Amino acid sequence: MIFINGHPYKNYDIGPGLTVATNVSDGRNALGEFVGQRIGRDQDKIDGLTWTMLDAAEWNAILQEFNEFVVVVKFPDMVNGGWKTERMYPGNRTANIAAEDPVTGLPTVYKNCKVNLIDCGER
C-alpha cells in the first residue's frame, strides 16, 4: 500500500523501484580519487509505481492528488524498515486506455497506470 496526501491507495500490482540517492559536492580528481563530500540528506525516489488495471475513477483520483503538484507520500522505508513520509512531486504519469464507454467514447478502464514520485529534498 502507498498513501498520497493521507489517502490509502490499493496495492500496486508491480512494486515500485525504491531508490535512495546520496548527493555529493564534487566527484573525482585527476588521480581518480573521490574528493567530494556528502551534501544534504539522502533523497528517495519511487520509480515505476504501477497498477496493471484501474477503473477510470480510481486512476482519476490518483492523478487528482497531484493537482497541487507537491504531495505527502507515505511509503515503505527500505533502509530502516517501517514507513517513511516525505514531500514528493510526480514525474511522468502514463496509462493506456483499456476500455471505453460506447456512448461517450470516454475511457472507463485504464491499464499500465504508472507514476514516478521524486523526493523534494526538504529537511
Side-chain angles (χ1 to χ4, degrees):
M1 181 158 293
I2 192 163
F3 298 82
I4 302 172
N5 289 332
H7 302 121
Y9 286 98
K10 73 179 194 178
N11 289 340
Y12 32 80
D13 299 311
I14 300 172
L18 300 175
T19 301
V20 177
T22 302
N23 296 310
V24 295
S25 63
D26 218 339
R28 299 184 182 274
N29 64 18
L31 299 174
E33 302 163 329
F34 177 72
V35 294
Q37 295 180 6
R38 178 182 178 161
I39 54 174
R41 64 166 178 78
D42 285 343
Q43 295 180 359
D44 296 285
K45 181 177 182 187
I46 301 172
D47 191 28
L49 179 59
T50 305
W51 294 266
T52 53
M53 198 74 66
L54 290 174
D55 66 46
E58 291 172 309
W59 186 227
N60 295 157
I62 292 169
L63 295 177
Q64 288 171 18
E65 294 287 359
F66 306 118
N67 284 343
E68 298 298 319
F69 191 59
V70 174
V71 295
V72 176
V73 180
K74 182 177 169 183
F75 58 99
D77 182 350
M78 70 176 182
V79 175
N80 299 306
W83 293 97
K84 187 171 190 176
T85 302
E86 295 289 348
R87 286 176 34 92
M88 302 180 115
Y89 65 92
N92 293 343
R93 281 90 65 197
T94 61
N96 301 101
I97 297 171
E100 296 176 346
D101 182 293
V103 176
T104 66
L106 292 173
T108 57
V109 178
Y110 289 95
K111 64 181 180 179
N112 302 320
C113 305
K114 181 177 176 181
V115 62
N116 300 313
L117 298 169
I118 301 107
D119 190 332
C120 290
E122 302 165 346
R123 290 192 181 260

